[in-house]
Amino acid sequence: MKIRQRQAGMSIPGMLVIAIMVGFFVMCGIRMTPIYLEYLTVKRIMQDVASEFKPEEDNIADIRRKISNMLNTNQVYLLQPKEVEVFRKDGKIIIDSNYEARFPVMGIIDGVMRFEDLTFIAGVEVRN
């Protein structure tokens, strides 16, 4: 009498597919981490500049100068100071530093991270 045994578990190709998928997500995480950390730096810089604004002493040129100095000091490379829009709207000074960052994933495939929460009103304390 033969007893039938049923094998259970993953095959080599199945394990390979899972390993490739996990490796892909780990690689994407490793490539996205520096970009996200730079975004946190940009957000902190813009919050600091917006909260330190004094309407009786500072003007738009002063804000641009502070932004440029702080981006340079903190070695932010994905956002150039000329890309930050500082303008007056309804009597308030708006700092708009929204941007997107592209990073290579593999071959001709690129990833895009969009940071659209970087609009601040100068002179208003920002709470996280």
Side-chain angles (χ1 to χ4, degrees):
M1 193 187 289
K2 270 190 162 176
I3 298 176
R4 234 180 201 191
Q5 290 183 345
R6 186 158 194 241
Q7 292 183 356
M10 291 182 65
S11 64
I12 296 291
M15 286 191 293
L16 196 59
V17 167
I18 298 296
I20 288 171
M21 287 174 29
V22 168
F24 175 77
F25 287 113
V26 167
M27 179 191 63
C28 286
I30 289 171
R31 292 191 182 211
M32 289 169 38
T33 300
I35 296 170
Y36 186 74
L37 293 175
E38 191 164 304
Y39 152 74
L40 293 176
T41 302
V42 169
K43 186 173 183 177
R44 183 182 46 80
I45 289 170
M46 297 307 157
Q47 287 175 344
D48 291 348
V49 169
S51 64
E52 292 173 359
F53 175 73
K54 297 177 183 72
E56 57 278 348
E57 298 173 12
D58 299 333
N59 57 25
I60 291 178
D62 294 331
I63 291 174
R64 287 186 190 277
R65 192 174 313 105
K66 284 181 186 177
I67 290 172
S68 178
N69 289 339
M70 291 184 79
L71 289 176
N72 188 28
T73 301
N74 289 288
Q75 297 181 352
V76 173
Y77 299 113
L78 293 175
L79 179 66
Q80 300 301 317
K82 64 183 177 186
E83 296 172 345
V84 177
E85 295 180 25
V86 182
F87 57 93
R88 194 176 300 272
K89 180 179 180 183
D90 298 330
K92 298 176 183 173
I93 295 181
I94 309 293
I95 302 170
D96 183 7
S97 56
N98 296 333
Y99 71 102
E100 69 179 28
R102 294 182 176 272
F103 60 96
V105 175
M106 67 178 153
I108 60 172
I109 301 172
D110 286 346
V112 177
M113 295 176 71
R114 294 175 52 179
F115 304 109
E116 296 183 336
D117 62 338
L118 297 172
T119 303
F120 300 97
I121 300 173
V124 176
E125 184 69 30
V126 181
R127 294 190 177 117
N128 292 331

